[in-house]
Amino acid sequence: MSWLYLALAIILEVAGTTSMKFSNGFTKLFPSILMFVFYILSLSTLTLALKKIDMGMAYAVWAGLGTALISIVGVLFFKESINIMKVASILLIILGVVGLNLSGMKH
């Protein structure tokens, strides 16, 4: 269940960052409110995930996958530029998260 909370925290964090973009520097009320709601929910579900997942691992997965996903959202929905360096960097973030997970496995 903790990993489900962590996945939800990541999705909510991406929604919060997307709402931040839509808020246009707090000039649009509804996206500005949504941003705060999504971030509060994200941190709340992250807190629930921390009951069973090591803090360093949970935060690395939350931050790393959140960063990778928001980069993809930026390219797909906001027409942000994409190049081979950006793709390689996103892949390295994902590989780092996978590596952390593998290193934390108990044998």
Side-chain angles (χ1 to χ4, degrees):
M1 189 68 170
S2 294
W3 286 99
L4 185 61
Y5 283 134
L6 184 56
L8 183 57
I10 292 166
I11 292 166
L12 289 165
E13 189 266 335
V14 170
T17 304
T18 304
S19 296
M20 186 186 300
K21 177 73 171 173
F22 281 124
S23 78
N24 198 26
F26 296 113
T27 60
K28 295 183 180 174
L29 182 61
F30 187 66
S32 298
I33 292 170
L34 279 179
M35 179 191 70
F36 286 108
V37 169
F38 285 134
Y39 275 124
I40 288 168
L41 292 172
S42 176
L43 291 173
S44 297
T45 53
L46 178 60
T47 301
L48 293 173
L50 289 174
K51 290 171 93 174
K52 298 275 171 105
I53 302 172
D54 290 345
M55 182 173 54
M57 176 71 69
Y59 191 78
V61 171
W62 181 74
L65 291 183
T67 300
L69 286 173
I70 204 62
S71 296
I72 293 166
V73 167
V75 169
L76 294 178
F77 297 102
F78 296 105
K79 309 295 186 242
E80 294 179 0
S81 65
I82 186 77
N83 57 44
I84 192 69
M85 185 63 140
K86 192 179 271 191
V87 171
S89 297
I90 291 169
L91 290 174
L92 286 171
I93 291 169
I94 293 168
L95 284 172
V97 169
V98 169
L100 279 171
N101 277 301
L102 292 175
S103 72
M105 292 175 66
K106 293 181 178 37
H107 298 283

